[in-house]
Amino acid sequence: MHVRITTPFHPAYVTAERIKKAKNLEFLLTAGIGSDHIDLPAAAAAGLTVAEVTGSNTVSVAGDELLRILILLRNFLPGYQQVVQDEWNVAGIAHRAYDLEGKTVGTVGAGRIGRLLLQRLKPFNCNLLYHDRLQIDPELEKEIGVKFEEDLDAMLPKCDVIVINTPLTEKTRGMFNKERIAKMKKGVIVVNNARGAIMDARAVADACSSGHIAGYGGDVWFPQPAPKDHPWRYMPNHAMTPHISGTTIDAQLRYADGVRDMLDRYFKGEDFPVQNYIVKEG
C-alpha cells in the first residue's frame, strides 16, 4: 500500500517492523486525533508523512469528560446497578454522592479539549485550575475564570477532581505513578480520556482499592484492546468504557470529511492544514 488509514490503536499498532515491510508506503493517515499508535521515529526515518484530522473529536471528548465527572461525583453507577439488580438502598448511594458546585477541578493539559472542558465547567460554579507547558490567553483565562498552575505537584493536592488532557509523549508516559498519585487529595475523582499509558495501571488500581482515588473514569487503556486481566476491569469505583469518547456519530462524520479532504489534497500534491501534520516527509 501507498497510503494507510488507521484509527488510534485499532485494529493494530503501526510498528517499526510493519513500516519496514511496507516498501511502497508514503502516507499514514489517522482517522481521528492522536498518532501515538504509530512508531513516529520509524515513520520519520522512512521519510513518511503522518497526519491526523486535528480537532475532529474535541467537542465529543470534552462532553464525555464532563459526563464522567458527574457520573463519578454523583455515584451514579451503583444506583443504576441497584435498579438492574432489583434493589433499593438510597442511603447506600447518597453517602458517596456530591455536587460539582464548589469543587476544585484541575485539568492537566489545556489544549483544545482541556479548554472546551473548562468552558463547559464554568456554569457549574467550580474552582477551575489548569497545568500546561504554555499559559492560555489571559483574556480567555479571565472569561472562563480559570487559574494557571505552573507546578503540577502543587496543583494536585488542591483538586477534588483531576482530568488528564495531555498527549502521550516520552515525558508524559507513566507520569501518574504511585508517588504522584500519593500527592492527590484523598477521595479525589480522576478522569482520563487522553491515553492509558500516562497512568501507572497498577498504581491507579491500588489507589482505587484503598479509597485514595474515590472514582476513576475514562475510556483509554494500555494496551488497547485491554486484555481480560487488566486491573482496571476489576478495581472498585470505576467508570471505564472501551475507547468511545471521541467516536460519536457526529465525530465520525468529521473524521470522514477530514480523511476525504486530506486524501484529495494528497492525490493532488497539495499541502494539508499545517495543524494536521505530525510528521512531514520524514
Side-chain angles (χ1 to χ4, degrees), residues 33-279:
I33 300 174
S35 293
D36 42 282
H37 62 294
I38 297 169
D39 188 321
L40 296 175
L48 306 181
T49 290
V50 181
E52 58 188 40
V53 191
T54 298
S56 55
N57 66 4
T58 53
V59 167
S60 311
V61 175
D64 185 276
E65 288 176 341
L66 179 57
L67 170 74
R68 287 176 203 266
I69 292 170
L70 289 167
I71 280 174
L72 290 165
L73 267 180
R74 298 300 294 264
N75 206 25
F76 173 84
L77 286 171
Y80 169 75
Q81 287 158 1
Q82 277 193 18
V83 173
V84 172
Q85 294 162 7
D86 197 22
E87 298 173 0
W88 194 280
N89 177 8
V90 175
I93 306 305
H95 80 111
R96 290 176 58 91
Y98 297 89
D99 291 325
L100 182 49
E101 185 172 38
K103 299 297 183 290
T104 298
V105 182
T107 175
V108 183
R112 292 177 179 86
I113 295 169
R115 287 196 295 270
L116 282 174
L117 175 65
L118 291 168
Q119 289 169 331
R120 281 150 178 72
L121 285 167
K122 184 183 177 183
F124 287 89
N125 298 319
C126 308
N127 304 311
L128 299 175
L129 307 175
Y130 77 96
H131 167 79
D132 204 315
R133 291 182 304 112
L134 303 170
Q135 195 164 351
I136 61 179
D137 181 70
E139 283 299 311
L140 185 57
E141 276 188 352
K142 187 177 177 182
E143 179 189 321
I144 298 171
V146 62
K147 184 184 172 205
F148 175 61
E149 293 276 343
E150 189 171 2
D151 185 338
L152 173 61
D153 291 329
M155 181 182 86
L156 294 178
K158 301 174 185 177
C159 296
D160 302 295
V161 178
I162 293 165
V163 186
I164 312 301
N165 275 312
T166 186
L168 178 64
T169 66
E170 288 314 304
K171 287 185 179 180
T172 63
R173 188 179 298 275
M175 181 181 191
F176 282 87
N177 54 19
K178 182 179 179 181
E179 292 72 28
R180 184 155 270 141
I181 290 170
K183 294 175 182 178
M184 298 179 184
K185 184 186 290 190
K186 186 177 180 184
V188 69
I189 297 293
V190 180
V191 171
N192 177 18
N193 283 358
R195 288 293 181 260
I198 293 168
M199 318 300 288
D200 179 319
R202 185 72 262 167
V204 168
D206 290 345
C208 284
S209 296
S210 73
H212 191 89
I213 293 178
Y216 182 91
D219 70 339
V220 287
W221 309 65
F222 182 77
Q224 287 189 191
K228 289 183 179 179
D229 62 351
H230 196 292
W232 291 357
R233 290 184 183 270
Y234 309 105
M235 65 188 180
N237 305 315
H238 78 74
M240 294 299 298
T241 56
H243 197 165
I244 58 168
S245 66
T247 317
T248 61
I249 297 299
D250 302 282
Q252 290 183 55
L253 291 170
R254 292 189 291 267
Y255 297 166
D257 287 343
V259 167
R260 189 184 304 112
D261 175 65
M262 281 198 280
L263 284 175
D264 190 46
R265 290 171 186 252
Y266 173 75
F267 292 127
K268 289 177 179 175
E270 297 173 359
D271 281 346
F272 311 137
V274 67
Q275 69 270 17
N276 290 15
Y277 283 107
I278 307 301
V279 175

Side-chain angles (χ1 to χ4, degrees), residues 1-5 22-29 48-49 263 266-267:
M1 63 185 77
H2 298 90
V3 178
R4 179 169 186 171
I5 303 170
K23 302 297 183 187
N24 296 325
L25 194 60
E26 297 171 3
F27 177 32
L28 288 159
L29 175 53
L48 306 181
T49 290
L263 284 175
Y266 173 75
F267 292 127

